[in-house]
Amino acid sequence: MVKIDIKSVYDSIKYFSGTQIIVAGWVRSCRGNGKFGFINLSDGTCFKTLQVVFTKDKLANFDEIEKLNTGSSITCKGRIVMTPENQQPFEMQADEITILNATDSDYPLQKKKHSLEFLREIAYLRPRTNLFNAVFRVRSKLAFILHEFFENKGFVHVHTPLLTSSDCEGGSELFRVTTQNIYDEEGKFDPEDELFGKKVYLSPTGQLEGEACAFAFGKIYTFGPSFRAENSNTTRHVNEFWHLEPEICFMNLEELMELEEEMMKFIITNIMKRCPDEMKFFNEFVDKGLFDRLNNVINNDFARLTYTDAIEILKKNNDKFDYPVEWGSDIQTEHERYLCEVVYKKPVFVTDYPKEIKAFYMKQNEDGKTVRACDLLFPGIGEVTGGSERETDYEKLRKHMENLKLKEEDYWWYLNLRRFGSVQHSGFGLGFERILMYVTGVSNIRDVILFPRTPNNCEY
Ligand code: 4AD
Ligand code: MG
């Protein structure tokens, strides 16, 4: 007899009702009274557990089973019986239970409720809890839904390298990658000693290589880890995050924002449909306003305003901020949240930022001061995507890079794209963990990524 997934039993209960099957998994809880007992069994195939009923008259090892701790692994052979009068629609009446590996009282995940901080310390076990099981299944489904969205639209998925020799975001803090102690006794660096013959970093974005591919396929996206070496200890920053970056030719900024809005509505609609148990759990136990918030995104047009207009609004409320703003200042999380939580009460695109506070590759506006950038801000989170129309003019781009002291030798190929069939193109980067926070209601980014990499934390 082969093992059956608990998910299959739920999906095809009519078929399994009355039949004897084998299931295998981990004990969530076990209680008995000397004559009979109940096990809540999870095999990870779905959010729901299977209730296994066991009796002394059927099990020779009843006494051992009754004492099973949470986390023990077992297999159960038994009959599926409908129980319409009970909380569970059906249960398994066990004929045989085999213990594979019993936990003892050292097992850290006992029945009581644990704090998120404690669970972060045992990140290798936390996927077994209800909350993290739901988070990581939604993470898996959300990635799939994103792939589906771009596949449906005919995008090509390209895999850009994680090792790079250029600082693509111009100014972001990068991790050096080296095979050796590359500084000599005087602290000098000899590129000859390096495996790549030059300084190499973990890439903060796949955009530049993505642009090269966009000029071949018309529309592409990359999806993978990006690295930022910044020392930010916030609830929204990790040093390694997952980054989805589409790049589309013959597209302007307005069309880019339409694409982003459509993408957000698609993924939220579909995650609610496809993970109903997990989403219900988040709505009940993590954030009681979650469904309202998500429906608010699906059913409303996102707001759009320029940076200059945003600053006008914010300036009038400078007394409310730790960092008062004026034209030219960076918009920080507190300002982003004010705009979408207090002013608009929905997602907001802010466009046309001053060129000084944005990356070198963004298309310059006629005014000479601003660039065709758009950041998408979400209530409760702040920035979830950053994007722009790209500068396509060789000379403008070269000059701007020169002003920023970016070395042409590091970007020669990127500049060449502007000579070899350059076309209007735009793209954005979605922080996958940020959108996961929004979709699950989980408020710390460390709790939506398996093993978070943050300052002073690289366990596992
Ligand atoms: O705004 P960013 O830095 O833009 C880029 O990297 C562009 N190359 C994207 C593009 O146009 N292709 O990053 C994009 C998004 C941010 O909006 C944010 O959601 C996320 O990536 N992000 C982070 N998420 C978690 N932790 C960090 N340290 C992040 N830094 C950026
Ligand atoms: Mg940004």
Side-chain angles (χ1 to χ4, degrees):
M1 208 185 286
V2 288
K3 175 183 98 60
I4 306 290
D5 286 349
I6 292 178
K7 179 176 192 307
S8 305
V9 183
Y10 274 96
D11 287 349
S12 312
I13 182 59
K14 277 203 184 119
Y15 174 81
F16 286 108
S17 172
T19 58
Q20 194 195 45
I21 60 168
I22 294 178
V23 292
W26 296 268
V27 173
R28 277 288 174 83
S29 65
C30 177
R31 66 204 147 87
N33 65 4
K35 288 192 185 120
F36 61 90
F38 302 95
I39 291 172
N40 236 321
L41 189 73
S42 163
D43 72 352
T45 57
C46 62
F47 190 65
K48 295 190 190 96
T49 52
L50 176 69
Q51 170 151 289
V52 178
V53 186
F54 57 98
T55 52
K56 194 166 172 92
D57 58 329
K58 276 198 194 155
L59 302 190
N61 57 352
F62 179 89
D63 295 342
E64 270 176 279
I65 300 297
E66 199 183 32
K67 282 195 222 100
L68 278 175
N69 262 318
T70 304
S72 301
S73 48
I74 57 173
T75 64
C76 308
K77 188 192 221 175
R79 192 169 304 280
I80 298 294
V81 177
M82 302 309 290
T83 52
E85 68 287 350
N86 294 354
Q87 213 186 345
Q88 283 92 350
F90 56 85
E91 63 190 22
M92 170 181 268
Q93 291 177 358
D95 297 313
E96 227 177 279
I97 297 181
T98 309
I99 300 173
L100 302 176
N101 182 234
T103 58
D104 55 25
S105 55
D106 279 350
Y107 185 65
L109 290 174
Q110 298 301 335
K111 262 168 260 170
K112 77 180 185 59
K113 207 171 175 307
H114 301 285
S115 74
L116 291 174
E117 289 76 13
F118 171 74
L119 291 171
R120 252 171 244 150
E121 283 168 24
I122 49 161
Y124 73 112
L125 294 175
R126 65 181 183 166
R128 304 179 186 201
T129 64
N130 268 333
L131 173 67
F132 288 95
N133 211 264
V135 165
F136 294 123
R137 194 185 318 278
V138 164
R139 185 176 169 117
S140 161
K141 286 274 192 268
L142 201 67
F144 185 82
I145 292 167
L146 277 166
H147 283 298
E148 195 174 71
F149 178 79
F150 288 103
E151 172 71 15
N152 288 348
K153 289 192 172 296
F155 281 61
V156 171
H157 177 201
V158 298
H159 301 129
T160 50
L162 301 188
L163 296 179
T164 183
S165 57
S166 55
D167 171 6
C168 333
E169 275 308 289
S172 45
E173 293 166 64
L174 301 181
F175 289 104
R176 278 285 302 281
V177 177
T178 181
T179 54
Q180 55 196 304
N181 181 6
I182 38 86
Y183 293 101
D184 66 16
E185 269 150 35
E186 280 107 59
K188 277 200 226 104
F189 164 73
D190 183 0
E192 301 269 295
D193 293 342
E194 276 293 297
L195 182 67
F196 297 106
K198 51 160 74 171
K199 284 190 184 172
V200 166
Y201 310 93
L202 289 178
S203 186
T205 168
Q207 178 195 327
L208 302 197
E209 294 86 351
E211 282 186 53
C213 296
F215 282 11
F217 296 104
K219 38 193 177 182
I220 62 93
Y221 69 101
T222 78
F223 188 26
S226 279
F227 303 88
R228 308 276 163 110
E230 66 217 346
N231 191 357
S232 340
N233 246 312
T234 78
T235 53
R236 320 176 314 136
H237 289 91
V238 274
N239 295 114
E240 177 185 282
F241 68 99
W242 277 66
H243 204 179
L244 180 123
E245 295 181 280
E247 196 68 37
I248 314 97
C249 290
F250 314 106
M251 182 173 268
N252 64 27
L253 193 73
E254 280 68 34
E255 293 163 330
L256 184 73
M257 289 189 282
E258 275 165 34
L259 178 73
E260 289 190 41
E261 186 167 339
E262 190 188 337
M263 176 191 80
M264 288 301 184
K265 289 177 174 170
F266 181 86
I267 62 178
I268 291 176
T269 308
N270 278 287
I271 201 71
M272 295 196 359
K273 267 194 214 143
R274 296 190 207 176
C275 292
D277 294 333
E278 287 82 359
M279 294 304 289
K280 203 165 140 258
F281 174 82
F282 295 135
N283 192 57
E284 267 170 40
F285 297 104
V286 178
D287 174 1
K288 289 217 156 42
L290 182 67
F291 284 168
D292 291 339
R293 273 203 295 110
L294 296 179
N295 285 320
N296 181 43
V297 173
I298 296 170
N299 298 324
N300 280 296
D301 291 339
F302 295 3
R304 287 161 166 69
L305 83 165
T306 63
Y307 168 89
T308 304
D309 290 344
I311 291 292
E312 277 313 306
I313 296 175
L314 294 170
K315 250 167 56 181
K316 289 189 193 122
N317 298 283
N318 261 342
D319 54 321
K320 300 191 180 81
F321 304 130
D322 293 338
Y323 298 92
V325 293
E326 54 183 282
W327 203 94
S329 33
D330 216 344
I331 299 187
Q332 317 232 12
T333 307
E334 55 172 344
H335 313 122
E336 294 174 342
R337 294 190 53 177
Y338 187 82
L339 286 172
C340 41
E341 285 161 36
V342 182
V343 184
Y344 288 99
K345 299 190 170 59
K346 60 181 181 180
V348 178
F349 282 109
V350 178
T351 64
D352 302 285
Y353 286 76
K355 67 172 184 231
E356 286 74 20
I357 59 172
K358 286 293 180 191
F360 73 92
Y361 49 71
M362 296 188 178
K363 186 177 172 61
Q364 298 175 38
N365 278 315
E366 297 293 314
D367 63 11
K369 290 193 299 193
T370 58
V371 286
R372 300 249 69 198
C374 62
D375 277 5
L376 176 56
L377 318 178
F378 262 46
I381 310 271
E383 179 187 338
V384 285
T385 75
S388 76
E389 201 173 315
R390 317 305 191 191
E391 186 55 78
T392 46
D393 184 276
Y394 182 88
E395 256 321 300
K396 271 195 192 158
L397 184 61
R398 202 193 57 75
K399 271 226 182 75
H400 191 41
M401 289 172 63
E402 196 176 272
N403 291 339
L404 294 172
K405 304 213 163 26
L406 293 173
K407 287 198 219 105
E408 224 174 298
E409 68 207 50
D410 290 338
Y411 299 91
W412 60 273
W413 63 271
Y414 185 72
L415 273 163
N416 270 352
L417 292 174
R418 275 69 186 164
R419 292 171 55 217
F420 302 151
S422 186
V423 295
Q424 179 179 53
H425 62 295
S426 302
F428 68 88
L430 165 72
F432 188 52
E433 285 76 23
R434 298 239 176 121
I435 192 62
L436 260 170
M437 289 168 71
Y438 193 75
V439 161
T440 57
V442 168
S443 58
N444 193 317
I445 197 166
R446 292 165 180 77
D447 298 329
V448 294
I449 187 162
L450 270 180
F451 298 109
R453 272 69 177 99
T454 49
N456 292 318
N457 180 25
C458 194
E459 196 72 38
Y460 308 100

